[in-house]
Amino acid sequence: MEVMTSDHQVRSVNEDQCQMCMPLGGVIAFKGIEETMVLIHGSQGCSTYMRLSNVEHYHEPVDIASTALNEKQTIHGGEANLRKALDNVIRVYNPSVIGILTTCLTETMGEDLDLMISAYKHDRNLQGVDIIPVPTPSYSASHTEGFWSATRRIIEHYARATAETSGINIIIPHISPADIREIKRIIDLFGIEYTLIPDYSMTMDRPFGGNYQKIPPGGTVPADIARMPGAQATIQFGLTCPEQLSPGEFLRRKYNVPLFSLPLPIGLKNTDRFISVLSELSGRPVPEVLLLERGWLLDGMADAHKYNAEGRPLIYGEPELVYALCTLCAENGATPLVVASGTKTGNLETLLSPILPDACEKTIFLEGTDFAAIDQAVEDQRVNVAVGHSGGRFLTERRGIPVLRIGFPIHDRIGGQRIRSAGYAGTLSFLDRFTNALLEMKYGSYRQHCLEETRGKGGY
Amino acid sequence: MTVTEVHIDEMMTPYPDKVRKNRKKHIIIKSAESAACPQIEANTRTIPGIISQRGCAYAGCKGVVIGPIKDMVTITHGPIGCGYYSWGTRRNKARSDDRTPPEKIYTNLCVSTDMQESDIVFGGEKKLAKMIDEVVAIFSPRGINICATCPIGLIGDDMGAVAKEAEERHGIPVIAYNCEGYKGVSQSAGHHIANNNLMERIIGSGTDPRTEEFVIYLLGEYNIGGDGWEIERMLTDIGYTVNCILTGDSSYEEIKDLHFADLNLVQCHRSINYIAEMMKTKYGTPWLKVNFIGVNATIQTLRDMATCFNNPELTRMTEVVIERELARITPALEKFRKICNGKTAFAYVGGSRSHHYQYLLRDLGMEVIVAGYEFAHRDDYEGRDVIPTIKTDADSKNIPELHLTPDEALYQEAHLHLGLSKEQYDTIAAQVPLGDYEGMYPIMRVGRIMVDDVNHYEAEEMIRQLKPDLVFSGVRDKYISHKMGVPSKQLHSYDYSGPYAGFNGAVIFARDVADALVTPAWKLITPPWEEKNGNRSDSDA
Ligand code: SF4
Ligand code: SF4
């Protein structure tokens, strides 16, 4: 990848990457569909690594099967392994859906999955199991695009022209299970029916329940996905989602479902937009409890502003979350000075520029970047607080900059799946964390200053 | 609870016939204490669709063996994911010392060529070459490793040629490892590929002989959580010169002198036995199988080492250190032992740990009822005696064997390395595991199970049937057992704890295990409104 560093040098080395690979995003999307197993077509290493990354973040069992190709199959093709793998997955897991994701290896081999699957279904006379293949070559995109691609393919697979329903569609980017639950709670308050996809809020964050099941209950129901074309509208939190991967765009083009492309409801203004659309679509006034929550948030924002203005944030991670967090920080007086993503959307700067205040300092935007470039920008911009996933932990080690963990992956702290930042209430919990990080720093160095003053500079 | 064939058959009912037949060969129930180990199937292909805990050759080469070499930059040649996933997942610690200043340590780096579609189509050699130049310009490391991932083999990039040219341009070693993930059947293939390259390219290139006494190298120790440093502490106190921990906290600077060793110690047999054997052939260096996991095991190993050198002062100091350490740790260990005593455990890890940790668990009064390796070979279960009878198959044939001959200038007989006469050496070799490993089988008790390449499904079923008190595994299956109400401890990364080796490590391990066993949450599962009279689940039983 050609990486633009802040001094605009072009480098070919990717040093300490900021993104993960495409099938990983696909796995998470499939985990949000009811009764689904995921199978990765490639060597076993990819699936083992992806399980590791997911498990370290979600702290849940994450079953991902592999077709386990060896050297021989790289020459003779992977069909026999694919068939064996399907047999075994069906016998052991008894799933209703099998999502198959390709890897760089099988994409390079040029495996024709559609053909192999239809032959398999025919030979086995397969009933009651839907097999959905998604091409996910990591050399062309990151886990973010993998997530969107898989979500769109799942919808394409099930969607049927249906009679109009009274419900709406909600399409989410890769966010925490806690945020999914918060979004669902808010919609429920309006009493509208909806289909949220992909809903991994109960499959990737299971409450302890004693009885362990191989495929955890929960997830979007395929029959509901089939009816998505009949919905009143689609709300998609996907400003940064490329059009050709956009599930909401697909429903709009093919079935004329009106599309509301909204930012994630993180931050006051973003949440306002979501609530307005919900109110409009449901024809109901905003429920009292949300007004209270909005009030608490406003109150908190007013309290915190005097501290937040001292924040010089770096915000990095998956583009959709980065966008929302940038607006949140900006509306609290902490203008983001470095905005970065390992994913290349190409539109973060265009989207964000209008909402960033005309400050004298210019924000640096880095897309498709790595942490070496981020680190350089952090130094140039004198960043003092970072917001993003665990990949940035070196900023604390090397530069003493606190990293407010949010997004994926969070493997060096617990509770990544439980971080709630959506809605007014979620925004307020994030804001408090943000402000307190600045306060902690302030008091930390304040004590240091006092010490230096009483002792005289340089100590006794 | 003793395990019978019936349990195993029951567990395997959902498998298709072929899979059942295959998997049965990977499972052995120990029947009589004295009997020799029946043949176990190991190091064969993973079954597609059955979730194995195994990784790929790239993971074994880059992630395990090569990655920790601290003063070399390791480049992952491939798409972004492979490199990302192997970044900092092993907790192999490294620190600066008199041979390696802090600015020459690169273990925290993750460098990838991040192949794009056009590179896949037109080849990635140019990009790789440019990247090497950049790495040299930015970091000026002492050497560079390049590890291949799956697509590289397919598109046919000639990494060797790129490396050779770069070497000429920059005057530092640039080593290409053809460790494409699909090679072999697990990470084990990657260990072998890494061993071969280290042997061919680095070991033996140092030219200043070591002048210290009792120079040893600790092979197959990856310094997870600082294990290697704890071992080094004891050995230094006794009077050994620990020249290098390979590859945890190792440096290019040290590895090139490996041939000056008086004795090689082998901790993880699976991943490093190739180097140990090759060095025996080429330089005559003897190797000793050691185990620093467990108090009694550590004592045994220290005594074995002293036996090898047959030096009165070393033998005396060995006993002094053992006595000192025991006096220090016994009270703390006793405290935790009370909690652990009588508990049962499963151990599913790697290619050595499931064996090593059984000693430490026995020290704590615990017993392992099911033990398995992810990527071991038959000799790791049955002992090295079976090696000549292991058949090579299509997968193992793909990993080149180096055919080495004794080095004309440097080879000397094993006994001379230890400063012994031939007779003395032979007597000693009969007493200690010099050049030998007996495998896991002897430590297993009757009615206990050994299982190779245990999969997600089997692990789960065995936990259900046998209800161990604790499961030792990797993070990938950790949460299955949690969901089933059985605590689990990671033995790959130690759940961010450690060290677990040696005397201090034993206490830390005992503390962590005791903590896991008494976690209050496990006793609070049933809410009060569901408790029957006199059946309180939150009592301090
Ligand atoms: S592509 Fe190959 S090398 Fe990379 S993680 Fe997958 S199996 Fe390993
Ligand atoms: S080969 Fe591709 S799919 Fe597999 S781990 Fe590497 S980047 Fe990901």
Side-chain angles (χ1 to χ4, degrees), chain B residues 201-229:
Chain B
R201 297 296 317 278
I202 309 185
I203 297 168
S205 60
T207 47
D208 304 322
R210 314 287 311 177
T211 49
E212 299 93 336
E213 263 189 320
F214 315 124
V215 177
I216 54 168
Y217 282 77
L218 178 52
L219 311 185
E221 169 53 57
Y222 300 100
N223 202 28
I224 309 296
D227 276 351
W229 294 333

mmCIF file of all heavy atoms in Angstrom, chain B residues 201-229:
data_model
loop_
_atom_site.group_PDB
_atom_site.id
_atom_site.type_symbol
_atom_site.label_atom_id
_atom_site.label_comp_id
_atom_site.label_asym_id
_atom_site.label_seq_id
_atom_site.Cartn_x
_atom_site.Cartn_y
_atom_site.Cartn_z
ATOM 1 N N ARG B 201 22.111 -20.254 7.677
ATOM 2 C CA ARG B 201 22.499 -18.875 7.431
ATOM 3 C C ARG B 201 23.139 -18.158 8.613
ATOM 4 O O ARG B 201 23.905 -17.230 8.436
ATOM 5 C CB ARG B 201 21.284 -18.071 6.938
ATOM 6 C CG ARG B 201 20.696 -18.541 5.601
ATOM 7 C CD ARG B 201 21.692 -18.378 4.449
ATOM 8 N NE ARG B 201 22.385 -17.114 4.494
ATOM 9 C CZ ARG B 201 21.902 -15.967 4.039
ATOM 10 N NH1 ARG B 201 20.726 -15.938 3.456
ATOM 11 N NH2 ARG B 201 22.598 -14.860 4.141
ATOM 12 N N ILE B 202 22.786 -18.529 9.830
ATOM 13 C CA ILE B 202 23.306 -17.733 10.948
ATOM 14 C C ILE B 202 24.254 -18.523 11.849
ATOM 15 O O ILE B 202 25.385 -18.094 12.088
ATOM 16 C CB ILE B 202 22.163 -17.132 11.795
ATOM 17 C CG1 ILE B 202 21.154 -16.388 10.904
ATOM 18 C CG2 ILE B 202 22.734 -16.180 12.838
ATOM 19 C CD1 ILE B 202 20.064 -15.671 11.657
ATOM 20 N N ILE B 203 23.779 -19.667 12.326
ATOM 21 C CA ILE B 203 24.593 -20.436 13.273
ATOM 22 C C ILE B 203 25.930 -20.789 12.641
ATOM 23 O O ILE B 203 25.972 -21.289 11.525
ATOM 24 C CB ILE B 203 23.863 -21.720 13.699
ATOM 25 C CG1 ILE B 203 22.572 -21.349 14.441
ATOM 26 C CG2 ILE B 203 24.750 -22.600 14.571
ATOM 27 C CD1 ILE B 203 21.621 -22.502 14.669
ATOM 28 N N GLY B 204 26.984 -20.502 13.344
ATOM 29 C CA GLY B 204 28.306 -20.872 12.832
ATOM 30 C C GLY B 204 29.032 -19.727 12.140
ATOM 31 O O GLY B 204 30.190 -19.854 11.774
ATOM 32 N N SER B 205 28.336 -18.586 11.981
ATOM 33 C CA SER B 205 29.018 -17.492 11.288
ATOM 34 C C SER B 205 29.833 -16.617 12.236
ATOM 35 O O SER B 205 30.633 -15.793 11.804
ATOM 36 C CB SER B 205 28.008 -16.651 10.495
ATOM 37 O OG SER B 205 27.043 -16.102 11.356
ATOM 38 N N GLY B 206 29.674 -16.813 13.530
ATOM 39 C CA GLY B 206 30.471 -16.050 14.496
ATOM 40 C C GLY B 206 31.906 -16.560 14.522
ATOM 41 O O GLY B 206 32.149 -17.755 14.337
ATOM 42 N N THR B 207 32.832 -15.659 14.743
ATOM 43 C CA THR B 207 34.231 -16.083 14.646
ATOM 44 C C THR B 207 35.034 -15.930 15.941
ATOM 45 O O THR B 207 36.196 -16.336 15.997
ATOM 46 C CB THR B 207 34.955 -15.282 13.541
ATOM 47 O OG1 THR B 207 34.632 -13.903 13.707
ATOM 48 C CG2 THR B 207 34.525 -15.738 12.155
ATOM 49 N N ASP B 208 34.434 -15.331 16.976
ATOM 50 C CA ASP B 208 35.183 -15.188 18.229
ATOM 51 C C ASP B 208 34.725 -16.231 19.237
ATOM 52 O O ASP B 208 33.660 -16.079 19.829
ATOM 53 C CB ASP B 208 34.963 -13.789 18.842
ATOM 54 C CG ASP B 208 35.336 -12.697 17.859
ATOM 55 O OD1 ASP B 208 36.333 -12.896 17.129
ATOM 56 O OD2 ASP B 208 34.626 -11.675 17.813
ATOM 57 N N PRO B 209 35.535 -17.249 19.482
ATOM 58 C CA PRO B 209 35.116 -18.299 20.409
ATOM 59 C C PRO B 209 34.829 -17.737 21.794
ATOM 60 O O PRO B 209 35.479 -16.779 22.233
ATOM 61 C CB PRO B 209 36.320 -19.247 20.445
ATOM 62 C CG PRO B 209 37.114 -18.939 19.234
ATOM 63 C CD PRO B 209 36.857 -17.496 18.913
ATOM 64 N N ARG B 210 33.870 -18.344 22.472
ATOM 65 C CA ARG B 210 33.563 -17.924 23.843
ATOM 66 C C ARG B 210 34.664 -18.434 24.760
ATOM 67 O O ARG B 210 35.136 -19.547 24.609
ATOM 68 C CB ARG B 210 32.224 -18.517 24.305
ATOM 69 C CG ARG B 210 31.106 -18.406 23.304
ATOM 70 C CD ARG B 210 30.586 -17.022 23.157
ATOM 71 N NE ARG B 210 30.291 -16.385 24.435
ATOM 72 C CZ ARG B 210 29.871 -15.135 24.531
ATOM 73 N NH1 ARG B 210 29.737 -14.408 23.431
ATOM 74 N NH2 ARG B 210 29.596 -14.608 25.685
ATOM 75 N N THR B 211 35.041 -17.615 25.719
ATOM 76 C CA THR B 211 36.112 -18.040 26.603
ATOM 77 C C THR B 211 35.584 -18.416 27.983
ATOM 78 O O THR B 211 36.324 -18.932 28.820
ATOM 79 C CB THR B 211 37.134 -16.900 26.770
ATOM 80 O OG1 THR B 211 36.423 -15.703 27.087
ATOM 81 C CG2 THR B 211 37.925 -16.700 25.494
ATOM 82 N N GLU B 212 34.293 -18.152 28.239
ATOM 83 C CA GLU B 212 33.750 -18.451 29.565
ATOM 84 C C GLU B 212 33.675 -19.961 29.782
ATOM 85 O O GLU B 212 33.832 -20.752 28.862
ATOM 86 C CB GLU B 212 32.337 -17.872 29.722
ATOM 87 C CG GLU B 212 32.240 -16.367 29.586
ATOM 88 C CD GLU B 212 31.921 -15.927 28.163
ATOM 89 O OE1 GLU B 212 32.216 -16.699 27.222
ATOM 90 O OE2 GLU B 212 31.373 -14.822 27.998
ATOM 91 N N GLU B 213 33.339 -20.314 31.025
ATOM 92 C CA GLU B 213 33.182 -21.728 31.371
ATOM 93 C C GLU B 213 31.719 -22.129 31.265
ATOM 94 O O GLU B 213 30.839 -21.309 31.478
ATOM 95 C CB GLU B 213 33.621 -21.932 32.824
ATOM 96 C CG GLU B 213 35.037 -22.420 32.960
ATOM 97 C CD GLU B 213 35.307 -22.806 34.400
ATOM 98 O OE1 GLU B 213 34.843 -22.078 35.318
ATOM 99 O OE2 GLU B 213 35.963 -23.820 34.612
ATOM 100 N N PHE B 214 31.492 -23.393 31.020
ATOM 101 C CA PHE B 214 30.132 -23.960 31.028
ATOM 102 C C PHE B 214 29.165 -23.131 30.186
ATOM 103 O O PHE B 214 28.177 -22.614 30.680
ATOM 104 C CB PHE B 214 29.597 -24.084 32.458
ATOM 105 C CG PHE B 214 30.582 -24.667 33.434
ATOM 106 C CD1 PHE B 214 30.932 -23.973 34.587
ATOM 107 C CD2 PHE B 214 31.180 -25.905 33.182
ATOM 108 C CE1 PHE B 214 31.853 -24.502 35.477
ATOM 109 C CE2 PHE B 214 32.108 -26.440 34.074
ATOM 110 C CZ PHE B 214 32.455 -25.735 35.230
ATOM 111 N N VAL B 215 29.529 -22.981 28.935
ATOM 112 C CA VAL B 215 28.704 -22.161 28.049
ATOM 113 C C VAL B 215 27.510 -22.974 27.549
ATOM 114 O O VAL B 215 27.690 -24.034 26.940
ATOM 115 C CB VAL B 215 29.520 -21.667 26.833
ATOM 116 C CG1 VAL B 215 28.616 -20.885 25.887
ATOM 117 C CG2 VAL B 215 30.678 -20.805 27.300
ATOM 118 N N ILE B 216 26.333 -22.492 27.860
ATOM 119 C CA ILE B 216 25.146 -23.223 27.393
ATOM 120 C C ILE B 216 24.219 -22.303 26.612
ATOM 121 O O ILE B 216 24.218 -21.088 26.786
ATOM 122 C CB ILE B 216 24.346 -23.828 28.575
ATOM 123 C CG1 ILE B 216 24.018 -22.754 29.582
ATOM 124 C CG2 ILE B 216 25.074 -24.991 29.206
ATOM 125 C CD1 ILE B 216 23.031 -23.194 30.577
ATOM 126 N N TYR B 217 23.464 -22.937 25.738
ATOM 127 C CA TYR B 217 22.415 -22.237 24.992
ATOM 128 C C TYR B 217 21.106 -22.913 25.341
ATOM 129 O O TYR B 217 21.041 -24.134 25.400
ATOM 130 C CB TYR B 217 22.663 -22.331 23.485
ATOM 131 C CG TYR B 217 23.737 -21.381 23.004
ATOM 132 C CD1 TYR B 217 25.087 -21.650 23.208
ATOM 133 C CD2 TYR B 217 23.383 -20.206 22.354
ATOM 134 C CE1 TYR B 217 26.059 -20.776 22.779
ATOM 135 C CE2 TYR B 217 24.359 -19.321 21.914
ATOM 136 C CZ TYR B 217 25.691 -19.615 22.128
ATOM 137 O OH TYR B 217 26.639 -18.740 21.693
ATOM 138 N N LEU B 218 20.101 -22.121 25.593
ATOM 139 C CA LEU B 218 18.802 -22.684 25.949
ATOM 140 C C LEU B 218 17.920 -22.626 24.704
ATOM 141 O O LEU B 218 17.416 -21.569 24.331
ATOM 142 C CB LEU B 218 18.212 -21.872 27.107
ATOM 143 C CG LEU B 218 16.826 -22.265 27.606
ATOM 144 C CD1 LEU B 218 16.746 -23.748 27.924
ATOM 145 C CD2 LEU B 218 16.465 -21.451 28.845
ATOM 146 N N LEU B 219 17.776 -23.753 24.039
ATOM 147 C CA LEU B 219 17.010 -23.788 22.789
ATOM 148 C C LEU B 219 15.533 -24.073 23.064
ATOM 149 O O LEU B 219 15.192 -24.820 23.975
ATOM 150 C CB LEU B 219 17.545 -24.881 21.859
ATOM 151 C CG LEU B 219 19.054 -24.955 21.603
ATOM 152 C CD1 LEU B 219 19.350 -26.033 20.560
ATOM 153 C CD2 LEU B 219 19.603 -23.622 21.153
ATOM 154 N N GLY B 220 14.678 -23.488 22.234
ATOM 155 C CA GLY B 220 13.247 -23.772 22.362
ATOM 156 C C GLY B 220 12.647 -23.152 23.607
ATOM 157 O O GLY B 220 11.743 -23.706 24.226
ATOM 158 N N GLU B 221 13.187 -22.013 24.020
ATOM 159 C CA GLU B 221 12.582 -21.265 25.127
ATOM 160 C C GLU B 221 12.236 -19.891 24.554
ATOM 161 O O GLU B 221 13.115 -19.196 24.055
ATOM 162 C CB GLU B 221 13.562 -21.156 26.302
ATOM 163 C CG GLU B 221 13.156 -20.179 27.395
ATOM 164 C CD GLU B 221 11.762 -20.418 27.940
ATOM 165 O OE1 GLU B 221 11.487 -21.534 28.413
ATOM 166 O OE2 GLU B 221 10.937 -19.484 27.879
ATOM 167 N N TYR B 222 10.980 -19.510 24.632
ATOM 168 C CA TYR B 222 10.545 -18.301 23.935
ATOM 169 C C TYR B 222 10.299 -17.125 24.869
ATOM 170 O O TYR B 222 9.777 -16.094 24.469
ATOM 171 C CB TYR B 222 9.337 -18.632 23.035
ATOM 172 C CG TYR B 222 9.760 -19.674 22.025
ATOM 173 C CD1 TYR B 222 9.455 -21.023 22.214
ATOM 174 C CD2 TYR B 222 10.583 -19.318 20.962
ATOM 175 C CE1 TYR B 222 9.935 -21.987 21.327
ATOM 176 C CE2 TYR B 222 11.066 -20.275 20.087
ATOM 177 C CZ TYR B 222 10.736 -21.599 20.268
ATOM 178 O OH TYR B 222 11.227 -22.542 19.409
ATOM 179 N N ASN B 223 10.654 -17.320 26.114
ATOM 180 C CA ASN B 223 10.623 -16.216 27.074
ATOM 181 C C ASN B 223 9.248 -15.586 27.201
ATOM 182 O O ASN B 223 9.114 -14.371 27.340
ATOM 183 C CB ASN B 223 11.664 -15.150 26.701
ATOM 184 C CG ASN B 223 12.055 -14.300 27.898
ATOM 185 O OD1 ASN B 223 11.985 -14.768 29.031
ATOM 186 N ND2 ASN B 223 12.416 -13.048 27.671
ATOM 187 N N ILE B 224 8.217 -16.432 27.141
ATOM 188 C CA ILE B 224 6.862 -15.933 27.344
ATOM 189 C C ILE B 224 6.759 -15.462 28.796
ATOM 190 O O ILE B 224 7.123 -16.186 29.719
ATOM 191 C CB ILE B 224 5.803 -17.031 27.070
ATOM 192 C CG1 ILE B 224 6.019 -17.695 25.721
ATOM 193 C CG2 ILE B 224 4.390 -16.478 27.225
ATOM 194 C CD1 ILE B 224 5.855 -16.812 24.521
ATOM 195 N N GLY B 225 6.294 -14.256 28.974
ATOM 196 C CA GLY B 225 6.139 -13.713 30.325
ATOM 197 C C GLY B 225 7.448 -13.677 31.121
ATOM 198 O O GLY B 225 7.426 -13.559 32.337
ATOM 199 N N GLY B 226 8.581 -13.805 30.434
ATOM 200 C CA GLY B 226 9.866 -13.734 31.134
ATOM 201 C C GLY B 226 10.370 -15.070 31.675
ATOM 202 O O GLY B 226 11.276 -15.104 32.505
ATOM 203 N N ASP B 227 9.817 -16.187 31.184
ATOM 204 C CA ASP B 227 10.271 -17.518 31.617
ATOM 205 C C ASP B 227 11.783 -17.681 31.475
ATOM 206 O O ASP B 227 12.453 -18.190 32.376
ATOM 207 C CB ASP B 227 9.611 -18.618 30.762
ATOM 208 C CG ASP B 227 8.228 -19.002 31.272
ATOM 209 O OD1 ASP B 227 7.849 -18.545 32.368
ATOM 210 O OD2 ASP B 227 7.538 -19.758 30.564
ATOM 211 N N GLY B 228 12.285 -17.255 30.340
ATOM 212 C CA GLY B 228 13.707 -17.458 30.061
ATOM 213 C C GLY B 228 14.588 -16.734 31.066
ATOM 214 O O GLY B 228 15.652 -17.236 31.453
ATOM 215 N N TRP B 229 14.150 -15.576 31.475
ATOM 216 C CA TRP B 229 14.959 -14.795 32.426
ATOM 217 C C TRP B 229 15.008 -15.455 33.797
ATOM 218 O O TRP B 229 16.018 -15.391 34.495
ATOM 219 C CB TRP B 229 14.409 -13.353 32.539
ATOM 220 C CG TRP B 229 14.560 -12.595 31.265
ATOM 221 C CD1 TRP B 229 15.513 -12.809 30.306
ATOM 222 C CD2 TRP B 229 13.728 -11.528 30.792
ATOM 223 N NE1 TRP B 229 15.333 -11.926 29.269
ATOM 224 C CE2 TRP B 229 14.248 -11.131 29.530
ATOM 225 C CE3 TRP B 229 12.617 -10.863 31.298
ATOM 226 C CZ2 TRP B 229 13.683 -10.105 28.780
ATOM 227 C CZ3 TRP B 229 12.051 -9.839 30.560
ATOM 228 C CH2 TRP B 229 12.577 -9.461 29.310
#
